[in-house]
Amino acid sequence: MTPAGYDAQVAAGTRAIIHAGTGNGSMLEQLISTLFGLRQQGVQIVRASRTGAGIVTRDGEQPDSRLTGWRRPT
């Protein structure tokens, strides 16, 4: 998937995207900024694994917290 594919889906009216990556829901570096930008526009982004087993961990392989501004409650 390229950034243009995600942008085209949003232009067509998509309001949520499930990115099913390999392993721990991995994504190409070039997609991280694209998906973050779409999230800033109000598009819901879900990172999932397409392996069929296991879990996707927050900040495991992708910088989820840095990109979303999420912080663990204290």
Side-chain angles (χ1 to χ4, degrees):
M1 190 69 168
T2 66
Y6 285 110
D7 291 334
Q9 289 296 317
V10 172
T14 296
R15 298 185 312 178
I17 293 172
I18 299 174
H19 173 85
T22 60
N24 193 18
S26 300
M27 63 180 71
L28 296 173
E29 186 66 34
Q30 67 193 36
L31 294 180
I32 292 173
S33 61
T34 298
L35 292 174
F36 180 67
L38 294 176
R39 184 182 176 283
Q40 297 295 94
Q41 296 175 40
V43 178
Q44 295 294 312
I45 307 294
V46 175
R47 190 168 58 84
S49 175
R50 65 180 182 205
T51 62
I55 62 170
V56 174
T57 57
R58 179 173 203 86
D59 296 321
E61 194 165 327
Q62 305 302 320
D64 300 308
S65 295
R66 180 175 56 86
L67 294 175
T68 63
W70 182 86
R71 293 202 168 115
R72 184 176 303 278
T74 56

